[in-house]
Amino acid sequence: MSLQIQMLGTGSAFAKTFYNTSALIRSNEMNILIDCGATTPRSLHEIGVQPDQIDGIIISHIHADHVGGLEEIAFRLLYQYKNKKTKLFLTESLAGVLWENTLKGGMYNPADGFSRLEDYFEVILIEENVPTSIQPGLTIEFISTLHIPHKLNYSLFINGRTFYSADTQFNEELLVQEIVNKRNCHTILHDCQLSGNGFIHATLEELLTLPDYVQERVYLMHYDDDMMNFVGKTGSMTFIHQHEVIEIPE
């Protein structure tokens, strides 16, 4: 089975041009979302994918640019598609804070029987650091990475050899030793803050310190609206663009 990943958005939390960073893992048999920011439903509409065609949603962390579109997806599945539930893949720890700290305010409706995350989604809890088959031909592994101190945050290995950072601070040891030297990942999709200090994201300046053999595997995402000013200044790394599609070997 041929798998592809299509970027629904490639922008930072504050980007307006490129939408919030999220992606769609696609094949003839499945559509699996990675995160669902506020702009994700609009981007899905632009590529002709409706909520009832989504087979599952993977959640990396609870910042609004990664989960702000979940309420719309859930309500559309409930009201437009007759209470169809899609799968929601996340860790047990993340499931609690996603509902209590993010979704409950708008979606809590006990009078009609909606008082839990499970009332809207088929919640599938995934263990950290355990490769888990979530669809035939698709394995996901959640690994904890540092984004904001003391807040849950995960990056992903997709079928063992594609790394998707979601949001994370720069971690040279993880990128060089674990992702490339040990796992031999052929593709790295990494968030990139183009300028300024990297308090919560890897910066372009930091990523440019990576060896060329690592940079050659890196697609840069989660960037600001001034991305065009940095074209040709990314070493051996490549910007990935909204709606661009790349292959993911099984």
Side-chain angles (χ1 to χ4, degrees):
M1 176 175 60
S2 174
L3 283 180
Q4 300 175 323
I5 187 164
Q6 182 170 20
M7 300 306 298
L8 298 175
T10 56
S12 69
F14 308 133
K16 303 300 182 287
T17 303
F18 304 115
Y19 294 7
N20 302 142
T21 292
S22 62
L24 190 64
I25 301 174
R26 311 191 69 170
S27 73
N28 291 332
E29 291 80 27
M30 75 176 95
N31 288 303
I32 303 291
L33 271 178
I34 302 176
D35 288 333
C36 186
T39 59
T40 300
R42 178 179 177 181
S43 189
L44 286 168
H45 173 76
E46 289 173 355
I47 64 170
V49 175
Q50 299 304 314
D52 66 327
Q53 296 173 297
I54 300 298
D55 300 299
I57 306 172
I58 298 166
I59 299 299
S60 66
H61 64 294
I62 66 167
H63 279 153
D65 60 315
H66 293 262
V67 298
L70 282 176
E71 181 176 308
E72 177 180 335
I73 295 293
F75 282 151
R76 290 184 66 190
L77 289 172
L78 174 62
Y79 296 115
Q80 287 185 296
Y81 300 100
K82 300 179 180 179
N83 201 20
K84 176 181 171 62
K85 288 184 180 180
T86 194
K87 294 180 173 68
L88 193 68
F89 301 101
L90 70 177
T91 66
E92 184 174 6
S93 298
L94 201 57
V97 295
L98 174 62
W99 177 252
E100 290 295 330
N101 297 348
T102 301
L103 298 180
K104 186 176 180 179
M107 298 172 69
Y108 182 68
N109 182 13
D112 290 333
F114 296 97
S115 59
R116 308 174 303 154
L117 191 62
E118 290 82 0
D119 294 328
Y120 290 97
F121 298 98
E122 182 182 345
V123 178
I124 310 294
L125 301 179
I126 307 293
E127 282 190 63
E128 294 181 32
N129 305 312
V130 177
T132 303
S133 176
I134 65 171
Q135 291 279 343
L138 177 59
T139 297
I140 296 294
E141 181 180 352
F142 284 76
I143 66 163
S144 179
T145 44
L146 178 61
H147 178 34
I148 292 188
H150 312 300
K151 283 187 177 290
L152 292 167
N153 186 83
Y154 297 96
S155 297
L156 306 170
F157 285 104
I158 304 168
N159 284 351
R161 294 193 59 216
T162 295
F163 179 78
Y164 186 99
S165 75
D167 291 356
T168 184
Q169 296 181 31
F170 182 65
N171 187 333
E172 181 179 6
E173 182 177 359
L174 174 66
L175 284 162
V176 176
Q177 300 303 328
E178 177 70 17
I179 295 171
V180 174
N181 291 349
K182 181 179 178 181
R183 300 198 185 218
N184 193 27
C185 286
H186 55 78
T187 302
I188 300 169
L189 291 147
H190 207 291
D191 56 311
C192 178
Q193 181 179 312
L194 295 175
S195 58
N197 294 320
F199 296 118
I200 58 176
H201 290 284
T203 66
L204 176 59
E205 183 178 8
E206 290 171 324
L207 291 166
L208 283 168
T209 67
L210 294 169
D212 278 348
Y213 74 93
V214 176
Q215 289 190 36
E216 289 167 356
R217 308 175 192 219
V218 174
Y219 289 91
L220 301 174
M221 61 182 187
H222 206 286
Y223 43 73
D224 293 325
D225 283 335
D226 61 348
M227 177 271 285
M228 291 302 296
N229 295 333
F230 294 85
V231 172
K233 302 176 183 179
T234 60
S236 298
M237 299 177 289
T238 303
F239 285 117
I240 193 165
H241 301 281
Q242 186 181 17
H243 296 162
E244 184 175 350
V245 178
I246 59 174
E247 298 291 327
I248 304 177
E250 293 182 47

